[in-house]
Structures are given as structure tokens and as C-alpha cells.
Amino acid sequence: MDDSLSFESFLEGARKAAHKAMDDHARGEYDEFVLHAGVAIERLGKAVLVGKNPIYVAEMRGSAEMLFHLGGHRTASKVRTIGAAETISRLRTLQILPADGQLDLLIDLRNGVAHSTGGEQGRALLATLAKSVQALHVGLTTPLTSFWGRWHSAVRIAIDHQRNQTEREVQLRIRQARNRFDDRFGNLPAELLEGVQAPLRSRRSEWFPGGIHKETGEPGPPMGWFPCPACENNALIVLAAEDEEPDRYGGFFGCALCGLRLEGTEELLAAKLSLPEGSV
């Protein structure tokens, strides 16, 4: 059997596709996320099947050429293996993957991504990718941590049901922003990175009024520069009184270096940012 159909080849292909999917999700490119997530699950599924028996990835329609190819007795004129849907079907037959409507949806979106968009629907399928990879790793000798690498903590958060939805979403964005900062500045010489970070350290790390209201003369809503929960550089928090409840605040947090964005009091608190007394 040729190396392209080996367990190691399928596993490495799955790992690369999964990392591309995570990068896509972090950039908000959810159509691309669906495409790469589907490829990751298909290739990891094939790695599992090949690990049990190479013949399990043979396409059964047409001639028996691929059966002999995978058995090592002949070389096929055209290498053809099963697709994603059949891969998942065989894994379920072997009771390796459970039935999962969200996984079926991900594969359907992946197969139609050239003609339609996954959009926000794709955004919500990160947990499906994480759970599917976890299920497929059961019984493999390769550790899940080495498969996910720098994304390991992010995928753990995606399937952590001890947190509510807002906490999961915010903590995931923090991990994504941390990796984005490393991608942008990780290879920068220390003196150049210092030049980028130094101006932010001088920012006022306390709450102060955001200007003066032009009609009433009253101080504006609180704002301040505080350490970013993703990259630890000073970033701006701006609070704004909510129209319905003038004594309560909504808010916005934005980091210029890692790109982390948070909106509303609930997200700010989920990121463990301290707000001024009386603002919540």
C-alpha cells in the first residue's frame, strides 16, 4: 500500500486540516472553517479505519481494484477511497462514532461550501469538530494534546459544559486572540516588540470619565486602559450607560494588538475584567 494511504499520512493530513479550521474560526472565516473541519474529520476517520484494516477505506462500487491495492497485491490505476459521509457511516457501524445530527450538518455544509455559505451556522459547529476528534482518538496511541498542539486549551473550552455559553464563547475568543498575537508578533525581535508594547504601558490604568456631555456638562461614562486577558498588553475598556437603565452600563473592550473584542457587561465579566463599583 502506498504511503499516502497509511495511518500516519491520514493522521497528519487530519491534524493540518484541523489546525487550519481553528485558524479560520479565529479569523471569523466560518465557510473556510466548515471546509477544513470536514476534511479533518474525514481524514482522521480514515486513519482510524486504516488502523483497523486498510481495506475499510476501499470504495466498493465498480471493480475490486482498490481492494487488491489496499491489500498490497496490485497497484491501482487510480487511487479511490470512500468519501466523508461513507467514512462516518462505517465508523458508526463499528460503534466508534455515535449518531450526531450536528456532525451530519457539518459534513453537509462542507460538501456544499462551494455553492452556499455556512456563515453563522458554521460558527456554532466548533464544538462538533472538537467532540468528533475526541471520539475518534479513543483507542489511538497518539495523544490528543499532540494532535491539537496550541489549540488544545481552546477545544477543551469548546466542549466544557461546566461553563455557560457566554463563558465558553469569551474564553474561546481569548485563546484565539492569544494565538493571533503569537502569529503577529511571535517572530518579532525583542527590541521591536518592546517598541510596540511600550506606548501602551504608559496608558492610564484607572477609570476616568470619557469626556464631558456637550449638552448637560456631566462627565461621560467610565473608560480606562487595563491588561488584556489574552495578550496582557493594555487595552481600552469603554462603558456606556444603557438607555433603558441609565444607572447600569453596557461596555466594549478592544485590544489593538491581539484583536480581542468583547461587548456588554456579561462578556466583560466572563473575561474576568474588573468593572467599577456600581456598574453592574
Side-chain angles (χ1 to χ4, degrees), residues 227-245:
C228 173
C231 68
E232 301 181 354
N233 293 285
N234 274 356
L236 186 65
I237 303 178
V238 179
L239 301 184
E242 297 179 350
D243 293 337
E244 299 81 5
E245 300 180 73

Side-chain angles (χ1 to χ4, degrees), residues 44-79:
L44 184 57
K46 288 179 178 178
V48 172
L49 291 175
V50 165
K52 292 186 173 299
N53 192 317
I55 292 176
Y56 288 171
V57 298
E59 171 61 70
M60 299 304 295
R61 292 177 296 180
S63 73
E65 187 179 32
M66 276 302 296
L67 286 175
F68 295 125
H69 181 89
L70 292 167
H73 295 95
R74 292 187 60 179
T75 300
S77 58
K78 184 176 182 180
V79 175

Side-chain angles (χ1 to χ4, degrees), residues 24-40:
D24 294 333
H25 196 279
R27 291 192 298 268
E29 296 176 359
Y30 302 121
D31 293 339
E32 293 297 310
F33 163 75
V34 166
L35 175 61
H36 289 125
V39 171

